[in-house]
Amino acid sequence: MLVLVVNAGSSSLKSQLIETDGKLCLMKCLAQKVGTPEASMSVAFSPEFQKVKYNVAGFTVEQCLAKLLDVLVEDPESPIGSLDQIDAIGNRVVAGGEYFTRATLIDDEARGHLAEIEELAPLHNPVADQCIDLLREAMPNTPQVAVFDTAFHQTMPPKAYMYPLPMRYYNDYHIRRYGAHGTSHRYAAQQAANLLRRSLRDLGLITCHLGNGGSITAVNHGKSIDTTMGFTPLEGLMMGTRSGSIDPAIITYIMRKEGKTFDEMDHILNNESGILGITNESSDMRDVLESADAGDEEAELAIDMYVYRVQKAIGSYYAAMTRTDAVVMTAGIGENSARLRERIFEGLAHMGMILDKQRNDVEGAIGVNRIISIDDSPIKICVVTTDEEVRIARETDNLVSQL
Ligand code: AMP
């Protein structure tokens, strides 16, 4: 089955064309920093995967997707000459609320429910919905599936997903922890089990998705039992532009002091905080590491805070599980930054997570799943390349095949 996977983020678009039968990737597209002056989009086709760049300055994520559809039809390197050759579309959707507990075929009813839960992930869900609408119009006969980041976390027990608020907020508004990045945590856990040559059912894992957004999950016997993201993807770790967990009283304090509206406060917490908020320069960890090397004290502080919060989250999940066999690092920072991994695990050796500095820092190992702890580390440390697109393609194939 030929599946177009669309992973629309707040400021990025990742897309792949995947032939699920042969597990082949035929096209990769990446648009980054969309909506900023540095926006860029590249498309590459198999077998060479030579990237061709497109000017997407001033584009929205949805317009980047429209451009990609044009390229798919018009580029002589493209394996398809018409969009009709695509059998199904798999969309990554961050928040599924309590309504969507598994991957779902998008019909009018499902589209209506998607609209109702947009506010659960205000940076992501509306963008994904716009992309779904564009695809429904451009490819009306192609089945579309939504694969939800929250679905993996539906196994959390009430003690993990309930907030200590008046019960009526759960009963009336379904306010509870939903988590996110579920597709990535599930995949990272399975890949780690493969690396450890053990069944996922026998393992206690702490999976760390550290990218522009970030979350950590306690995966016990293959099931998510707790995760740092909450009712929305704002809770938990310090992120690129999101504050993560802060004292909730700060929000009303600032609103009163500066007369901020709800929308303005939302924007501050989601778009102006986190690494960007502390450095006042960039939300991108690579830039921040460079600035820290050049002696920028705020960049150094941002890295210190980031590392400390990751360490505390790993520690809390060590406490939440009855056993911990491995910590798994994935996504942009987790996969690529040996330096940050070293900083994080420097502080966790006393818990039995002992990094092997050489294995951590192997040149050219980027993209290779591997164990980076010393041989007799009581808790192993793994690096896993997240492949959300492949997982989304598989889930889409499973659902559409049953039609
Ligand atoms: P993602 O959201 O998974 O694409 O991850 C994006 C984040 O990963 C950004 O903050 C990047 O700066 C960061 N990142 C990617 N490569 C590296 C690297 N080699 N060193 C440090 N951070 C990186």
Side-chain angles (χ1 to χ4, degrees), residues 340-353:
L340 276 227
R341 288 196 302 259
E342 188 173 332
R343 289 276 296 267
I344 291 165
F345 288 103
E346 238 166 36
L348 299 176
H350 67 287
M351 286 203 304
M353 301 163 189

Side-chain angles (χ1 to χ4, degrees), residues 14 209-213 283-286 289 331-333 336-337:
K14 292 180 194 166
H209 177 111
L210 306 180
N212 189 33
S283 61
D284 192 290
M285 189 54 91
R286 280 166 293 199
L289 287 166
I333 297 169
N336 301 314
S337 183

Side-chain angles (χ1 to χ4, degrees), residues 151-172:
F152 179 55
H153 302 298
Q154 285 297 308
T155 46
M156 283 187 291
K159 70 177 177 186
Y161 73 67
M162 288 299 290
Y163 289 108
L165 290 168
M167 199 63 185
R168 64 190 162 91
Y169 290 116
Y170 175 68
N171 292 333
D172 294 349

Side-chain angles (χ1 to χ4, degrees), residues 3 44 60 70 100 125 144 146 227 238:
V3 180
T60 60
D70 289 344
F100 294 105
N125 270 36
Q144 279 203 67
T227 192
M238 171 177 178

Side-chain angles (χ1 to χ4, degrees), residues 215-233:
S215 67
I216 298 188
T217 297
V219 185
N220 210 16
H221 306 298
K223 292 189 171 142
S224 167
I225 60 158
D226 204 352
T227 192
T228 54
M229 282 181 168
F231 177 58
T232 73

Side-chain angles (χ1 to χ4, degrees), residues 42-92:
S42 67
V43 181
F45 293 104
S46 71
E48 303 291 330
F49 287 106
Q50 205 139 39
K51 288 182 186 163
V52 177
K53 296 215 159 169
Y54 294 90
N55 181 3
V56 290
F59 279 37
T60 60
V61 173
E62 179 199 353
Q63 287 167 329
C64 291
L65 178 59
K67 177 75 195 166
L68 171 64
L69 295 186
D70 289 344
V71 173
L72 271 172
V73 176
E74 288 161 13
D75 193 306
E77 303 269 307
S78 172
I80 57 167
S82 151
L83 294 177
D84 291 342
Q85 288 171 261
I86 296 172
D87 299 307
I89 301 163
N91 295 278
R92 174 207 178 199

